[in-house]
Amino acid sequence: MPEIEPVKKKASIDERDYNKLEDTLGYKFNDRYKLEEALTHSSFSHEHGLFYNNERLEFFGDSVLGFVIARSLYKMYPDSGEGELTRMRAELVKSESLYKKAEILNVPYMLLHGHSMRSENLPRSICADAVESIIGAVCLDGGITSAERVIKKLFLSDLDEQEAKADPKSRLQMWLQKRNLPLPAYELIRVTGPSHNPLFEVRLMINGFEHSASDKTRKGAESKVAELILKDLKAQEVKEIEDAGNNKDSNKKREEIVDESIFDDALFNGE
């Protein structure tokens, strides 16, 4: 595509480091022109008579980003309704969040723009749109799997923050999923009290741990028992890690003792 050649030259003249950008993304483009298109603002295209800019990639990348984030949230929060999932997705992909990603990728100084603009004070919306364009370019170049990896890398800390705010049942399920363990099966033991003010008691058994909890709603009881089980599971995991470290140190110490013993025997025998 000869029309894109001026962009390549301009990028080279301005010493834009595409390799560093790709390293930050965690993705190497097969077709570098897609990345250059993603970093070409319409103002630059108008000034240089180019037929393309990053607006189409922005449109596409916006949909890809929304899809990947929606799927991640859907898996992470099995008990959240549509309204809550929509709120969380909006928080993750809002313009302010995208601008932070633009700063990480150094987009303000990578974007090709018109002479009337300055890289140091580009409008935040333009930088945010460029991030969506880059995601769209990754998807077109390497497929949805590559785009998903990039999105998770850029937004992982944000998703972790969302996870920390999740309810106990969701956090327990995410904890188990990450370790490929069976999902929880809550057992309703009994319902006591009058019909207008019942008390639900729920039991949960996971990985050798068993707890029961009561609440005025079944969901509340499940939430309480999930919190208790999750606390035990995390404590067990910490202990296993500590034990593994202690065993490693003990083995190392035993190896040192054996080595010293061999050395002493060698000296005693005159070897």
Side-chain angles (χ1 to χ4, degrees), residues 21-35:
L21 175 58
E22 289 177 328
D23 289 341
T24 306
L25 283 173
Y27 178 77
K28 295 291 184 182
F29 279 83
N30 299 303
D31 182 0
R32 182 64 68 77
Y33 287 142
K34 286 188 174 66
L35 176 57

Side-chain angles (χ1 to χ4, degrees), residues 1-172:
M1 298 177 64
E3 293 87 351
I4 300 183
E5 189 64 25
V7 180
K8 184 177 181 181
K9 290 180 179 179
K10 181 69 164 54
S12 177
I13 291 172
D14 287 356
E15 297 181 351
R16 286 171 167 80
D17 192 346
Y18 287 107
N19 291 326
K20 184 176 181 180
L21 175 58
E22 289 177 328
D23 289 341
T24 306
L25 283 173
Y27 178 77
K28 295 291 184 182
F29 279 83
N30 299 303
D31 182 0
R32 182 64 68 77
Y33 287 142
K34 286 188 174 66
L35 176 57
E36 292 180 345
E37 182 177 346
L39 292 169
T40 303
H41 188 253
S42 58
S43 60
F44 182 88
S45 297
H46 294 328
E47 289 184 2
H48 291 78
L50 302 178
F51 71 95
Y52 66 91
N53 54 53
N54 64 3
E55 291 176 354
R56 284 170 52 83
L57 283 175
E58 175 201 338
F59 162 79
F60 180 60
D62 174 63
S63 298
V64 173
L65 177 62
F67 165 72
V68 171
I69 293 296
R71 183 166 66 175
S72 297
L73 293 175
Y74 181 85
K75 291 180 178 179
M76 289 175 64
Y77 303 99
D79 292 328
S80 296
E82 177 189 3
E84 180 65 11
L85 292 174
T86 300
R87 184 196 65 76
M88 288 189 288
R89 180 182 60 185
E91 184 70 18
L92 288 171
V93 301
K94 65 183 182 180
S95 182
E96 180 182 346
S97 175
L98 287 170
Y99 179 72
K100 290 180 180 178
K101 307 303 180 281
E103 290 184 311
I104 293 172
L105 297 171
N106 201 30
V107 165
Y109 295 93
M110 296 290 294
L111 191 67
L112 297 169
H113 52 75
H115 291 303
S116 62
M117 300 181 184
R118 293 292 179 268
S119 297
E120 57 272 16
N121 57 9
L122 282 178
R124 291 191 169 203
S125 59
I126 289 179
C127 297
D129 292 343
V131 172
E132 293 178 333
S133 300
I134 292 171
I135 291 171
V138 170
C139 189
L140 289 178
D141 188 72
I144 187 64
T145 301
S146 297
E148 188 168 19
R149 283 199 303 268
V150 168
I151 290 170
K152 285 184 175 180
K153 180 177 181 181
L154 288 176
F155 291 83
L156 182 60
S157 60
D158 296 338
L159 290 174
D160 285 343
E161 290 177 9
Q162 294 282 4
E163 180 176 341
K165 298 175 183 178
D167 62 273
K169 287 182 64 178
S170 296
R171 284 190 281 114
L172 174 60

Side-chain angles (χ1 to χ4, degrees), residues 142-233:
I144 187 64
T145 301
S146 297
E148 188 168 19
R149 283 199 303 268
V150 168
I151 290 170
K152 285 184 175 180
K153 180 177 181 181
L154 288 176
F155 291 83
L156 182 60
S157 60
D158 296 338
L159 290 174
D160 285 343
E161 290 177 9
Q162 294 282 4
E163 180 176 341
K165 298 175 183 178
D167 62 273
K169 287 182 64 178
S170 296
R171 284 190 281 114
L172 174 60
Q173 180 157 328
M174 286 183 279
W175 194 93
L176 295 170
Q177 286 177 327
K178 288 180 179 179
R179 292 155 181 81
N180 295 318
L181 295 173
L183 297 182
Y186 298 90
E187 178 187 359
L188 179 62
I189 300 175
R190 63 179 65 89
V191 181
T192 58
S195 58
H196 66 276
N197 189 27
L199 186 66
F200 296 84
E201 186 175 355
V202 172
R203 178 168 55 199
L204 181 60
M205 298 176 60
I206 293 180
N207 209 30
F209 296 107
E210 178 180 350
H211 282 289
S212 60
S214 301
D215 195 78
K216 293 182 179 180
T217 66
R218 179 169 180 172
K219 186 174 181 180
E222 290 176 348
S223 180
K224 287 181 178 179
V225 77
E227 187 75 66
L228 294 172
I229 290 289
L230 184 57
K231 183 178 180 180
D232 284 345
L233 289 172

Side-chain angles (χ1 to χ4, degrees), residues 242-257:
E242 290 176 347
D243 289 344
N246 291 335
N247 289 336
K248 184 177 180 181
D249 291 340
S250 297
N251 292 335
K252 183 178 180 181
K253 185 64 177 178
R254 282 196 294 270
E255 291 173 359
E256 290 174 350
I257 292 173

